């Protein structure tokens, strides 16, 4: 089984230093488990340099292939061209990158470009004797779904997957990084990262008990207490204590808290 693990250049949330995203290190552990039963595992990164992904060698990857791509350019065409030539049986990726351009759309774009199925949020994988790949897909709140596939597929790793392997310095020294020639892509376009900023505007709160339908006048009456349950109340301004007590007793009898007064016997 030939396995390709997609690597991205993440950033540390505090220092901003280049770092390998944790979920991709978890994907490397899944790939290493499948590679132990017989297979070839290779990492694939498209970006300006390999500073952020070199850590993957100590996490269990024996080799990383680097495709030079300028910062801000779309890495999908270069990755799709290399994966088509590599023809892996399984492509593993994280949910998204960390601290940078983390849209999470790269695995989906690659699956579409390569005409391969995509299985998302996988927490475990195992190879069956008949060549079928068994995947456990997370459905949230601890629920799992067993997926059996035969053939090539793109798989994204879930954060609930087993923790990454411990970093080994000797393993990192034995690993290698191979720089590939950049494949010219016609019509290369940069990713538009322009963001429009607007002042925060609080949304109006939904009035409790307001009718879902009806006209604007009916909703206004519900909001001001002129209709619905609020319209049946009685407003007393500085009443006498006896009048206030009688109004309270009448309301309690109306809502069923107090029983109605017994009629006098004749």
């Amino acid at each position: 089984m030939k396995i390709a693990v997609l690597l991205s250049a993440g950033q540390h949330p505090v220092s901003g230093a280049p770092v390998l995203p944790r979920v991709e290190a978890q994907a490397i552990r899944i790939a290493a488990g499948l590679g132990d039963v017989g297979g070839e595992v290779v990492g694939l990164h498209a970006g300006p340099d390999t500073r952020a992904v070199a850590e993957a060698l100590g996490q269990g990857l024996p080799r990383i292939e680097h495709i030079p791509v300028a910062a801000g350019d779309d890495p999908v065409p270069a990755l799709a061209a290399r994966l088509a030539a590599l023809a892996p049986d399984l492509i593993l990726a994280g949910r998204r990158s960390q601290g940078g351009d983390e849209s999470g759309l790269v695995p989906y774009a690659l699956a579409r470009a390569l005409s391969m199925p995509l299985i998302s949020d996988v927490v475990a994988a195992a190879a069956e004797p008949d060549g079928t790949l068994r995947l456990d897909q997370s459905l949230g709140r601890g629920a799992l779904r067993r997926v059996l596939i035969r053939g090539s597929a793109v798989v994204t790793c879930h954060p609930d997957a087993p923790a990454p392997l411990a970093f080994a310095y000797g393993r990192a020294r034995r690993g290698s990084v191979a720089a590939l020639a950049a494949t010219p892509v016609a019509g290369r376009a940069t990713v538009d990262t322009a963001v429009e900023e607007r002042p925060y505007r609080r949304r109006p709160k939904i009035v409790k008990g307001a009718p879902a339908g009806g006209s604007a006048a009916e909703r206004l009456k519900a909001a001001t207490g002129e209709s619905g349950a609020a319209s049946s109340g009685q407003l007393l301004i500085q009443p006498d204590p006896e009048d206030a007590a009688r109004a309270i007793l009448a309301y309690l009898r109306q809502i069923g808290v107090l029983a109605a007064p017994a009629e006098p016997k004749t």
Side-chain angles (χ1 to χ4, degrees):
M1 177 183 292
K2 185 182 295 184
I3 305 172
V5 182
L6 303 182
L7 306 175
S8 63
Q11 295 180 1
H12 194 275
V14 178
S15 64
V19 66
L20 180 71
R22 175 181 172 85
V23 69
E24 294 179 8
Q26 293 174 282
I28 293 173
R29 177 167 185 173
I30 294 177
L34 294 173
D36 290 341
V37 298
E40 178 186 356
V41 182
V42 60
L44 188 60
H45 172 66
D49 51 59
T50 60
R51 290 180 301 167
V53 301
E55 180 185 353
L57 296 176
Q59 298 280 358
L61 276 183
R63 183 167 60 94
I64 297 176
E65 293 185 353
H66 172 226
I67 306 174
V69 173
D73 286 357
D74 187 3
V76 172
L79 290 173
R82 177 54 186 164
L83 289 170
L86 193 62
D89 301 305
L90 180 65
I91 301 174
L92 280 169
R95 259 184 162 186
R96 57 180 180 268
S97 185
Q98 175 180 319
D101 297 334
E102 43 184 310
S103 64
L105 298 178
V106 172
Y108 295 87
L110 287 175
R112 180 176 182 180
L114 299 173
S115 300
M116 297 171 62
L118 185 142
I119 297 91
S120 62
D121 297 336
V122 170
V123 298
E128 298 290 345
D130 59 352
T132 304
L133 186 63
R134 185 180 76 245
L135 304 174
D136 291 337
Q137 185 182 31
S138 175
L139 301 179
R141 299 187 178 183
L144 297 177
R145 175 168 55 193
R146 179 65 53 83
V147 179
L148 299 176
I149 63 173
R150 185 185 296 273
S152 302
V154 180
V155 172
T156 62
C157 183
H158 192 271
D160 290 341
L165 297 171
F167 182 86
Y169 182 74
R171 188 163 49 197
R173 291 287 303 270
R174 291 190 299 269
S176 62
V177 178
L180 305 179
T183 303
V185 180
R188 183 180 63 181
T190 59
V191 180
D192 185 11
T193 57
V195 179
E196 180 183 359
E197 295 186 4
R198 298 179 181 178
Y200 174 73
R201 181 175 63 86
R202 296 185 62 182
R203 293 186 176 182
K205 295 183 178 179
I206 299 177
V207 180
K208 185 178 181 181
S215 63
E218 293 175 352
R219 294 194 296 269
L220 180 61
K221 288 182 179 180
T224 56
E226 297 182 9
S227 66
S231 62
S232 61
Q234 183 180 4
L235 178 62
L236 300 177
I237 301 176
Q238 295 182 354
D240 293 334
E242 294 183 358
D243 294 339
R246 280 193 291 268
I248 293 173
L249 289 174
Y251 176 74
L252 293 177
R253 293 190 182 103
Q254 179 184 353
I255 63 177
V257 175
L258 296 178
E263 297 181 358
K265 296 181 180 181
T266 55

